[in-house]
Amino acid sequence: PEGPSHHVWVWDRSGSMYGDLDRLTQDIVEKIPTINKGDYLSLGWFSGNGQNDFIVRGYKVGDDTKDVQKLVRKYSDTVGLTCFSEIIKETEKVIDSISDIASNVSFVFFSDGCPTVGDYNREVETVFMGLEKLKDKVTASLLIGYSHWYNKQL
């Protein structure tokens, strides 16, 4: 499809990512300059309940990406447990916020893949409901699992 793309990258900062988070952050930093100029980038992180944020929303990629790369490096430490559903809900809002200027959306989700919330079954149900809402808004998706904690079944 023609027109600019919106790249939405979300990464896990939970404690179990401790051994992989520095490398993951560096990979993100190195990948940012490869995005086509004129495309848009949104960057979000998540950890436990109430611990998530999009640190960049709809950043238009230009020649110089050093500021956004520097910002990503600030989020290379672990925070807490793991809750997927909240950041997925926020992802939908971020995608909707610039859908009028970038209809091609790629969604990349980096995690070791095991929610650690009070009600695991409810969390899984909520994750799938959130992904169902994203399916018609996302052109391409990539789910990247890390480490031996990666919950392949989920």
Side-chain angles (χ1 to χ4, degrees), residues 111-135:
S111 176
D112 59 4
C114 195
T116 52
V117 295
D119 188 340
Y120 177 84
N121 292 330
R122 178 68 182 139
E123 173 68 359
V124 169
E125 180 182 317
T126 306
V127 164
F128 280 104
M129 287 188 310
L131 292 174
E132 183 70 26
K133 291 179 180 180
L134 289 179
K135 78 175 189 178

Side-chain angles (χ1 to χ4, degrees), residues 10 37 56 151:
V10 175
K37 289 170 184 50
V56 173
N151 183 340

Side-chain angles (χ1 to χ4, degrees), residues 53-73:
D53 192 18
F54 268 88
I55 59 171
V56 173
R57 296 171 184 252
Y59 167 81
K60 189 171 185 177
V61 178
D63 291 327
D64 185 3
T65 59
K66 287 184 177 95
D67 287 344
V68 75
Q69 289 171 292
K70 184 177 179 180
L71 182 61
V72 169
R73 286 187 184 97

Side-chain angles (χ1 to χ4, degrees), residues 25-44:
T25 307
Q26 186 59 32
D27 289 346
I28 291 170
V29 165
E30 290 174 5
K31 192 70 176 163
I32 290 170
T34 70
I35 297 173
N36 290 334
K37 289 170 184 50
D39 279 0
Y40 295 86
L41 176 64
S42 295
L43 299 167

Side-chain angles (χ1 to χ4, degrees), residues 140-152:
S141 61
L142 178 61
L143 308 175
I144 301 174
Y146 284 83
S147 188
H148 61 280
W149 297 108
Y150 181 50
N151 183 340
K152 292 177 186 175

